[in-house]
Amino acid sequence: MKKDIHPNYRDVVFYDTSSEYKFITKSTIETSETITWEDGQEYPVYKIEVSSNSHPFYTGKKMMLDTAGRVEKFNRRYAKK
C-alpha cells in the first residue's frame, strides 16, 4: 500500500448534544476536541445533534428538535392568513 494517502482510522466518541448520549466507534472524522472516556483514556469527540438515542423513529417518541428555528420559519411562511 502507498504510505500517507489513507486517513487516520481511530476510535472517536460521538456525543449527542440533544440527549447527552455518548458512544464510541471507529471513524476517520477529523476533530480537535477530546474527552476522557469511562476507561480513563482520552479520545477525540465529535458533537452531533441527532443519534439513534434521540431520533423519533428509533425511540418511538414524538419530540421536536428545533435547533435553527426551522419550525417557526415554516409556520410563518405557511400560516393561514
Side-chain angles (χ1 to χ4, degrees):
M1 284 197 303
K2 292 183 181 179
K3 294 185 179 206
D4 301 326
I5 63 166
H6 300 287
N8 185 14
Y9 189 62
R10 60 193 175 161
D11 289 328
V12 177
V13 174
F14 284 85
Y15 174 53
D16 184 353
T17 56
S18 63
S19 66
E20 304 291 321
Y21 178 68
K22 299 174 191 151
F23 60 95
I24 190 166
T25 187
K26 296 232 182 231
S27 177
T28 59
I29 195 161
E30 293 295 324
T31 179
S32 60
E33 297 180 54
T34 60
I35 192 170
T36 304
W37 190 246
E38 298 158 357
D39 62 1
Q41 293 184 348
E42 282 209 2
Y43 293 101
V45 64
Y46 186 75
K47 294 180 182 175
I48 55 177
E49 294 179 2
V50 178
S51 71
S52 61
N53 195 51
S54 63
H55 194 281
F57 180 80
Y58 297 106
T59 61
K61 299 177 185 174
K62 289 186 178 181
M63 59 185 239
M64 191 166 297
L65 296 175
D66 184 25
T67 57
R70 290 178 240 145
V71 173
E72 288 83 11
K73 185 177 178 181
F74 176 83
N75 287 336
R76 275 186 270 124
R77 182 179 290 170
Y78 297 105
K80 293 183 178 181
K81 294 181 181 183

